[in-house]
């Protein structure tokens, strides 16, 4: 049932020439409270709801634009403000809950992408990555490295934390030459 | 210990096996260690990126890696991309061992040549 709803939603999101591609991955762990045995069970699954492109479309050949550099660069600070705004408004009062946070990551990534698209920066491709996790005395490290054109491409990121959860968000803007 | 692999459909994408092998090579049999994790993440990302570049395809790459200690906490990640689906794609690999999780995502954006 939920698959049909997801397909409908994906079709509504379809725009000519580009598809919004949404993927999410979740890792959950539960500890068994046993005195004699120390066991940890993990529940994890993945969802891919983006690939509804049944008709094979050939890659579009672009004509030469004779443009050497972008008219408008990727606005790092504006995007950072968007991230700050979205994360605090969605997560300020929330406590970590597996179901809620799973839905939340997908919603937030779609919302951020829509808002960055609204900035209408021509010839830029947008990639949004959101991670929401529970705070439980664990350590975590996130690293990202990119191979791109330093002068044209950029990224913006923000982290939000409250008493029970943390959220990291990164937006990459890649210029389409 | 358990291993999971996620297969992507996009035919233009470098195989998930590449990132998986990189992770396996660097943190294959070790336990989580606070002082080493810095080194590990940097080398996983470096290594994956150099392997991708060796393929010589006309792409810009973004490699993202998250390493988390296993402590009963949950983690959710989601990504949303605005690009040309005929030429661009992404691939995510999840790996875990007894003491930690590792999630590596690779995004490839085409350059028009």
């Amino acid at each position: 049932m939920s698959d049909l709803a997801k397909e409908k939603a994906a079709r509504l999101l379809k725009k000519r020439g580009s598809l919004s591609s949404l993927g999410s991955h979740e890792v959950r762990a539960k500890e068994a409270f046993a005195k004699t045995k120390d066991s940890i069970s993990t529940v994890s699954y993945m969802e891919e709801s983006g690939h509804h492109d049944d008709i094979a479309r050939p890659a579009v050949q672009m004509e030469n634009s004779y443009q050497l550099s972008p008219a408008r660069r990727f606005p790092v600070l504006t995007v950072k403000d968007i991230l700050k705004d979205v994360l605090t408004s969605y997560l300020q009062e929330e406590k970590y809950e597996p179901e809620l946070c799973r839905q939340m990551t997908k919603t937030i990534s779609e919302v951020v992408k829509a808002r960055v698209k609204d900035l209408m920066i021509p010839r830029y491709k947008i990639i949004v990555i959101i991670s929401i996790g529970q705070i439980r005395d664990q350590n975590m490290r996130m690293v990202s490295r990119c191979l791109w054109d330093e002068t044209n491409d950029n990224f913006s990121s923000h982290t939000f934390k409250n008493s029970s959860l943390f959220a990291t968000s990164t937006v990459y803007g890649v210029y389409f030459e | 210990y358990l291993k999971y692999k996620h297969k992507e459909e996009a035919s233009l994408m470098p195989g998930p096996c590449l990132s998986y092998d990189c992770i396996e090579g660097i943190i294959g049999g070790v336990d989580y260690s606070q002082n080493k994790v810095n080194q590990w993440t940097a080398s996983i990302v470096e290594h994956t990126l150099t392997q991708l570049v060796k393929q010589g395809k006309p792409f810009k790459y973004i490699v993202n890696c998250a390493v988390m200690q296993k402590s009963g906490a949950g983690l959710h990640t989601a990504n949303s991309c605005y690009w040309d689906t005929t030429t661009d794609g992404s691939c995510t690999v999840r790996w875990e061992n007894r003491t930690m999780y590792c999630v590596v995502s690779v995004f490839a954006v085409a350059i028009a040549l």
Side-chain angles (χ1 to χ4, degrees):
Chain A
M1 203 32 150
S2 62
D3 278 327
L4 270 175
K6 265 188 257 173
E7 280 217 48
K8 247 193 194 168
R11 281 209 193 97
L12 285 170
L13 285 171
K14 244 193 208 178
K15 289 202 174 108
R16 193 162 50 100
S18 76
L19 243 186
S20 75
S21 154
L22 179 65
S24 74
H25 309 271
E26 173 193 309
V27 167
R28 264 187 329 181
K30 288 189 284 207
E31 269 191 83
F33 303 113
K35 278 189 194 160
T36 47
K37 277 191 294 184
D38 213 31
S39 65
I40 300 178
S41 74
T42 52
V43 173
S44 55
Y45 73 94
M46 295 201 204
E47 264 175 56
E48 254 320 308
S49 56
H51 301 282
H52 297 280
D53 207 3
D54 301 321
I55 315 153
R57 284 179 289 133
V60 177
Q61 288 279 43
M62 296 281 175
E63 232 190 55
N64 230 327
S65 66
Y66 299 101
Q67 201 179 356
L68 290 174
S69 54
R72 264 182 67 201
R73 293 229 138 81
F74 188 70
V76 180
L77 293 172
T78 319
V79 174
K80 188 166 170 84
D81 286 333
I82 295 179
L83 288 174
K84 236 185 266 190
D85 195 28
V86 174
L87 286 180
T88 39
S89 64
Y90 275 82
L91 299 172
Q92 189 65 52
E93 296 305 322
E94 305 290 346
K95 282 203 75 67
Y96 179 83
E97 262 151 56
E99 280 309 309
L100 172 73
C101 287
R102 185 178 347 137
Q103 217 35 60
M104 201 57 95
T105 38
K106 292 188 240 172
T107 323
I108 295 183
S109 67
E110 284 294 314
V111 168
V112 171
K113 190 185 66 174
R115 284 183 67 169
V116 176
K117 265 168 83 172
D118 283 341
L119 294 175
M120 296 236 267
I121 308 154
R123 297 184 74 96
Y124 266 89
K125 295 181 176 173
I126 312 288
I127 297 171
V128 180
I129 304 183
I130 310 284
S131 296
I132 301 186
Q134 189 182 15
I135 295 183
R136 251 237 217 172
D137 282 341
Q138 88 277 25
N139 276 308
M140 178 171 147
R141 180 163 281 272
M142 277 192 80
V143 170
S144 158
R145 192 164 292 218
C146 314
L147 178 77
W148 58 24
D149 187 352
E150 249 312 289
T151 49
N152 296 334
D153 307 320
N154 218 324
F155 76 97
S156 174
S157 75
H158 185 251
T159 319
F160 169 82
K161 199 168 100 150
N162 74 11
S163 53
S164 66
L165 56 77
F166 68 89
T168 343
S169 58
T170 317
V171 178
Y172 299 94
V174 182
Y175 181 64
F176 181 60
E177 289 164 38
Chain B
Y1 47 102
L2 306 156
K3 301 179 195 178
Y4 292 93
K5 221 193 282 197
H6 172 60
K7 289 224 176 324
E8 261 285 334
E9 305 163 28
S11 54
L12 281 155
M13 271 308 299
C17 309
L18 201 158
S19 6
Y20 189 81
D21 288 333
C22 286
I23 307 177
E24 188 62 28
I26 295 168
I27 50 177
V30 295
D31 284 346
Y32 184 88
S33 147
Q34 179 57 25
N35 6 348
K36 298 239 185 86
V37 72
N38 224 341
Q39 229 178 299
W40 289 334
T41 45
S43 48
I44 290 174
V45 167
E46 221 20 288
H47 206 221
T48 316
L49 202 49
T50 35
Q51 296 289 344
L52 287 168
V53 170
K54 269 196 205 160
Q55 297 192 338
K57 298 201 175 134
F59 282 107
K60 288 181 177 175
Y61 296 105
I62 295 172
V63 179
N64 198 33
C65 166
V67 174
M68 188 170 97
Q69 196 178 14
K70 274 194 183 176
S71 68
L75 176 71
H76 304 260
T77 59
N79 62 65
S80 176
C81 311
Y82 176 62
W83 57 25
D84 187 348
T85 47
T86 51
T87 57
D88 309 325
S90 70
C91 168
T92 309
V93 168
R94 242 174 13 145
W95 179 97
E96 65 180 279
N97 74 3
R98 210 173 44 91
T99 50
M100 57 183 168
Y101 296 109
C102 177
V103 184
V104 176
S105 307
V106 177
F107 298 88
V109 179
I111 309 176
L113 283 179

